[in-house]
Amino acid sequence: MSEKVLGAPLKCREDPAMLRGDARFIADIQLPGMLHMAILRSEYGHAVLKGVDTSAARKLPGVVRIFTAADLAGKVMPLPCIWIPGGAESHFPSHPMGVPGAGPILAVDRVRFIGDSIAAVVAETRAQAHDALAAIRVDYQPLPVVTDAEVALRDGAPQLHPEVPNNLNAYIPYGDKEGTEQAIATAEVVVTQAIHNQRTINSPMEPRGAVGAYDPATGEYTLYASTQSPHDHRLLLALMILGVPFNKVRVVAPNIGGSFGTKGYIYPDMPLVLFIAKELGRPVKWVDTRSGLMRSTVQGRDQKMTATLAGTRDGKITALRCTSYANLGAYPSTIGPGVATAMVGRSITGPYDIPHAFCDIYAVFTNVVPLGAQRGSGRAEATFMLERMVDQYAREIGMDPAEVRRKNMIRPDQLPFDNGLGWRYDSGHYAAALDRVLEMVDYAHLAERKKQARENGRRLGVGIASFVAVCGVGPSPRMAKEGMLGGTWESACVRVHPTGEVSLLIGSKPHGQHHETVFAQILAEELGVDIDKIEVLHSDTQRVPFGQGSYGSRSYSVGGAAVLRAAREIKAKALAAAAHSLKVGVDELAYENGKLFVKREPQKSLTLQEVALGLWYAWDIPAGMEPSLDVTTYYDPPDFNYPYGSHVAVVEVDETTGQVALVRYVACHDVGVMGNALVLEGQFHGAITHGIGQVLHEEARYSPEGQLLSRTLAEYPLPRATQVPNFELDHLVTPTPHTPLGAKGAGELGTIGAAAAIGNAICDALADLGIKHIEMPMTPEKIWRAIRDARAARGSA
């Protein structure tokens, strides 16, 4: 194998099965004797449950049994929350094990949001289960509702949990409050803006699903679920929900049709199908609907911010302050409080050297769907705020926004750089990424093109967004300080079979990142093995007993590092075994292309397969060496990694309709050393499109009564292919010292800058009208109204 494999844009081995329709998803799973479950969800945003009458529903054809909270009492514990705001006093619903609670499996005496689970119907068919839902009669006593995080803190606001005074989960300050306030008070220029990073709904192609089975002969539970973290969920189910031995729970995650963060959580349906399968002695299957997903799967963003940026007249930013109200929803999701706090508060300065920065966050419970991660969570919210403020500051002092950014960027010779909020940036050249996108978009001539467009009745706008993002979640000790009740290492096992094939078992769970291709590339490169001889196994806790999963842009940089470590240990053992067989010292051997040979006598050699076979026989192996070529390793990074980038969006705004057309979109990223350029390109395309959806289209809207008004894709528009431009992408490479691959996180990076770049471009197109800011989503109606109001104000002045 002479050509380099790692980094090459190899086509993905997972794709043919997807394209043929042969890939197996949760809805495809069929088990003998399987029953079907449907969940009755609350129709009220907040109410006392006075009674649940299932008598009529139980008599319907095919109905086997209906479960309510009374059936679970003393048998199943509430859901746990495992990421609390670190370093701050926090308040949560209770849990029998003393950990933070995340709400009951089925509502006991009160419902707290529009999708709260009340009852589970189990029937012979899915249709029969759903039909029976309509026959259940629930006696609600409506209670006052609060959907706004800031309002929920006010005196007299409805209280959601008795253990949580004033609905405040936590107040968390980050940075230098006194220094920041002093710098703002003495600054030459100060700009302030309220910014709402609106609540959004993750919309993967596949809704969630779960299938539960129980074997009474062994006492073993098996859960098939669309989960990003099968190993974590195995532990939570065994230890904190079902109260059963860890080795009696198996979790299998089939192919996942997208996630964007939402499938990294424990939901009520998971323990429900396991508990019911044991109760009824038959497997139980549940597959959600699109409207069900919108009412019950964690939602994203929802940070209500007020930001103040201060600086000098010549463009030096001296201070940044931000206060944010994070809307956690009705319950803390599995990791929701951490996502909404540290990932925002520590990220507000981005790639800039800002001497004084402070962010305080109020994490608050309200009567809406619980909050969770969404691609780029925390960092996207912080970046949108920061980049809007930088643009407003640039406009206030009359300086080109690109020049303001360049003037304030952290220089390469300042790295590693402590941002004063808790992140220590590793490597990079932030200004180089900015300069590259400005060159690609021909920024020097855009002002003239904007002028020409105005002369032709068109409004052209240009927006820039520069950012740096904490990724590669780990290290475990640091995450513990951030409030994580768990580890964030990753595992890999490499087995070289005596016939020469190689099995790679990984704890990381793919859901679109093409692990079976990219992780095989690592192994093929390091061991010199034909990539077609490598199988990659994952997503089954019985086959791969330990792992952490995929989240926080960590799969390749952390999981891949575990693979590399295992491969190197395989090489070391193979070299020791070969040296023994060839009667030479280990330092006299070389390893190239899967062959071990004596440097001075290359004809004296063994292949990796021959070494594996010799170890299998174990007739003559070094003293103390164990038979077989089988290694399991774990990798916990010494620190996070920090990819970065710059984006430029060029938009055209139709001032008669408010419609926005994306004319060009240019981006340059640095994700360190790349594993597969083709996979990365796909990740960036999807991630940028995700950001387009938020800035232009998406919003989870609630009525004052807590009713979700965007229950289907008819009320919740997503970007269409015709609305997405051809992306012009480039990259830089500065390896991180924090992983042996030199790789940084990538999967979320495109989303982090997209909304800010496009939002800045739209506001730039309207700047001559005096329009400073438009809240997301920047819909045609909002833009049209902003233009109308600006012209009316000018006419009356």
Side-chain angles (χ1 to χ4, degrees):
M1 192 187 71
S2 58
E3 293 186 2
K4 187 171 176 60
V5 177
L6 189 59
L10 301 186
K11 291 184 178 180
C12 297
R13 54 171 65 175
E14 299 93 333
D15 291 352
M18 298 282 184
L19 294 170
R20 292 193 305 264
D22 293 338
R24 196 177 187 214
F25 294 84
I26 196 74
D28 298 316
I29 293 175
Q30 301 293 329
L31 300 178
M34 190 167 66
L35 297 168
H36 295 263
M37 182 177 81
I39 298 175
L40 179 69
R41 302 197 181 279
S42 173
E43 290 297 329
Y44 283 82
H46 199 193
V48 172
L49 277 182
K50 299 184 70 176
V52 181
D53 183 359
T54 63
S55 57
R58 290 199 303 268
K59 299 174 184 177
L60 293 177
V63 173
V64 176
R65 189 169 167 186
I66 299 175
F67 292 83
T68 64
D71 298 296
L72 277 59
K75 302 174 183 177
V76 181
M77 289 180 276
L79 300 179
C81 173
I82 61 167
W83 193 358
I84 64 176
E89 179 183 344
S90 56
H91 302 273
F92 289 85
S94 60
H95 190 284
M97 292 194 66
V99 299
I105 307 299
L106 294 174
V108 179
D109 54 9
R110 187 191 291 196
V111 290
R112 293 177 171 85
F113 72 100
I114 196 67
D116 225 345
S117 304
I118 296 174
V121 175
V122 183
E124 296 291 344
T125 69
R126 187 173 186 235
Q128 289 171 333
H130 279 272
D131 286 346
L133 294 179
I136 298 175
R137 296 291 174 258
V138 181
D139 186 5
Y140 295 99
Q141 179 183 318
L143 295 171
V145 168
V146 61
T147 60
D148 182 290
E150 188 174 7
V151 174
L153 292 177
R154 295 175 184 168
D155 291 341
Q159 298 299 293
L160 272 73
H161 304 284
E163 307 95 330
V164 185
N166 302 314
N167 300 314
L168 181 62
N169 167 249
Y171 168 77
I172 317 96
Y174 301 95
D176 173 18
K177 181 178 182 180
E178 183 177 347
T180 301
E181 290 180 345
Q182 178 65 24
I184 291 171
T186 58
E188 295 176 0
V189 181
V190 176
V191 291
T192 298
Q193 180 67 54
I195 296 172
H196 184 203
N197 216 284
Q198 83 275 27
R199 177 166 283 250
T200 54
I201 300 173
N202 275 325
S203 300
M205 289 188 291
E206 178 205 33
R208 293 186 303 103
V211 178
Y214 178 76
D215 185 344
T218 62
E220 294 178 353
Y221 296 84
T222 299
L223 174 69
Y224 301 86
S226 45
T227 167
Q228 296 171 226
S229 304
H231 298 86
D232 282 349
H233 291 171
R234 178 192 188 191
L235 176 62
L236 297 180
L237 286 164
L239 180 64
M240 300 182 186
I241 303 176
L242 297 175
V244 299
F246 182 73
N247 63 348
K248 295 299 182 182
V249 177
R250 175 190 181 193
V251 178
V252 182
N255 287 297
I256 293 179
S259 174
F260 316 121
T262 59
K263 294 173 182 174
Y265 296 78
I266 286 281
Y267 293 94
D269 49 89
M270 295 171 165
L272 265 178
V273 293
L274 293 175
F275 172 77
I276 294 173
K278 181 180 179 181
E279 288 285 302
L280 301 182
R282 295 170 64 180
V284 178
K285 181 178 184 177
W286 172 82
V287 176
D288 207 356
T289 62
R290 179 61 54 181
S291 61
L293 177 149
M294 290 182 156
R295 296 174 61 192
S296 63
T297 294
V298 294
Q299 298 177 349
R301 311 293 191 235
D302 209 349
Q303 296 269 344
K304 193 176 179 182
M305 299 171 159
T306 299
T308 298
L309 185 147
T312 63
R313 283 283 170 194
D314 63 355
K316 178 59 181 174
I317 300 171
T318 56
L320 175 65
R321 170 161 187 159
C322 177
T323 294
S324 185
Y325 295 87
N327 191 340
L328 298 182
Y331 303 101
S333 62
T334 314
I335 60 169
V339 166
T341 53
M343 302 300 275
V344 178
R346 299 196 189 281
S347 302
I348 65 167
T349 55
Y352 308 116
D353 182 357
I354 300 177
H356 302 285
F358 177 73
C359 180
D360 52 351
I361 298 178
Y362 296 84
V364 186
F365 294 118
T366 71
N367 297 116
V368 297
V369 175
L371 185 79
Q374 186 176 69
R375 200 170 195 169
S377 54
R379 296 141 297 173
E381 293 93 305
T383 296
F384 185 82
M385 176 278 296
L386 173 62
E387 291 301 279
R388 288 296 300 120
M389 297 307 295
V390 171
D391 259 31
Q392 292 200 15
Y393 169 60
R395 193 165 300 282
E396 181 69 22
I397 64 175
M399 184 178 286
D400 185 278
E403 186 57 33
V404 171
R405 287 171 170 82
R406 187 182 291 108
K407 186 166 188 171
N408 289 279
M409 278 181 169
I410 299 160
R411 303 184 311 274
D413 62 9
Q414 292 178 274
L415 295 165
F417 182 85
D418 185 338
N419 77 342
L421 297 163
W423 299 148
R424 185 174 174 82
Y425 302 159
D426 50 4
S427 62
H429 195 323
Y430 304 150
L434 173 62
D435 290 341
R436 181 64 186 122
V437 290
L438 296 180
E439 177 188 0
M440 292 167 67
V441 81
D442 193 17
Y443 187 78
H445 296 99
L446 282 178
E448 180 60 30
R449 292 178 190 170
K450 287 168 61 178
K451 182 180 177 182
Q452 292 172 357
R454 288 294 297 121
E455 292 171 352
N456 294 323
R458 296 178 292 117
R459 288 189 170 272
L460 206 65
V462 181
I464 304 170
S466 296
F467 52 91
V468 60
V470 59
C471 289
V473 171
S476 298
R478 173 59 194 272
M479 288 303 294
K481 292 180 181 179
E482 295 294 345
M484 177 68 77
L485 307 179
T488 47
W489 44 265
E490 198 47 85
S491 72
C493 172
V494 176
R495 292 173 180 160
V496 182
H497 302 295
T499 49
E501 297 81 19
V502 182
S503 293
L504 169 60
L505 292 77
I506 55 173
S508 185
K509 163 62 187 170
H511 51 278
Q513 301 94 332
H514 293 94
H515 287 26
E516 292 178 26
T517 300
V518 181
F519 283 42
Q521 287 179 258
I522 299 172
L523 210 55
E525 180 80 17
E526 190 67 19
L527 295 183
V529 175
D530 185 342
I531 196 169
D532 291 331
K533 289 188 175 182
I534 300 171
E535 66 170 349
V536 180
L537 307 174
H538 52 81
S539 308
D540 183 342
T541 63
Q542 188 176 78
R543 175 180 277 171
V544 185
F546 303 113
Q548 291 294 327
S550 297
Y551 48 85
S553 292
R554 71 190 300 271
S555 294
Y556 183 64
S557 63
V558 180
V563 173
L564 182 64
R565 175 176 286 183
R568 288 176 174 173
E569 290 191 16
I570 286 285
K571 284 174 68 174
K573 184 173 182 179
L575 283 164
H580 180 81
S581 297
L582 297 172
K583 313 302 182 187
V584 297
V586 172
D587 59 350
E588 297 179 66
L589 289 180
Y591 187 117
E592 290 181 10
N593 297 326
K595 190 175 182 180
L596 303 92
F597 58 90
V598 180
K599 296 174 187 176
R600 66 178 184 274
E601 299 178 79
Q603 71 277 10
K604 294 180 65 175
S605 65
L606 292 169
T607 65
L608 185 63
Q609 183 264 325
E610 289 172 330
V611 173
L613 184 61
L615 285 169
W616 176 271
Y617 288 144
W619 294 340
D620 182 22
I621 62 177
M625 181 176 286
E626 296 178 348
S628 85
L629 208 47
D630 182 341
V631 168
T632 297
T633 62
Y634 299 87
Y635 183 74
D636 203 348
D639 203 343
F640 304 110
N641 56 71
Y642 296 88
Y644 62 94
S646 283
H647 292 191
V648 175
V650 181
V651 304
E652 189 175 294
V653 178
D654 186 330
E655 60 185 37
T656 60
T657 64
Q659 289 284 348
V660 175
L662 267 173
V663 178
R664 289 186 72 184
Y665 201 96
V666 176
C668 179
H669 303 105
D670 184 346
V671 297
V673 180
M674 296 182 288
N676 184 311
L678 188 63
V679 169
L680 280 173
E681 184 177 355
Q683 289 287 316
F684 290 138
H685 284 198
I688 294 170
T689 302
H690 203 132
I692 292 171
Q694 180 180 4
V695 69
L696 296 180
H697 307 290
E698 302 179 40
E699 182 177 22
R701 294 179 296 112
Y702 289 84
S703 73
E705 298 76 31
Q707 292 288 331
L708 180 63
L709 303 178
S710 45
R711 291 195 185 195
T712 72
L713 294 180
E715 301 93 17
Y716 191 88
L718 298 173
R720 297 173 181 265
T722 54
Q723 297 167 323
V724 177
N726 290 322
F727 300 123
E728 302 167 58
L729 305 179
D730 201 358
H731 65 269
L732 304 176
V733 178
T734 54
T736 177
H738 297 159
T739 71
L741 286 166
K744 305 175 184 179
E748 300 172 283
L749 204 58
T751 302
I752 290 167
I758 297 167
N760 281 342
I762 292 170
C763 292
D764 177 59
L766 307 175
D768 63 295
L769 296 172
I771 296 172
K772 293 184 177 181
H773 182 69
I774 298 174
E775 293 285 19
M776 295 189 290
M778 299 183 187
T779 61
E781 180 184 355
K782 282 185 184 178
I783 294 170
W784 180 85
R785 288 183 182 277
I787 294 171
R788 180 199 63 181
D789 294 347
R791 285 177 170 161
R794 286 192 169 191
S796 62

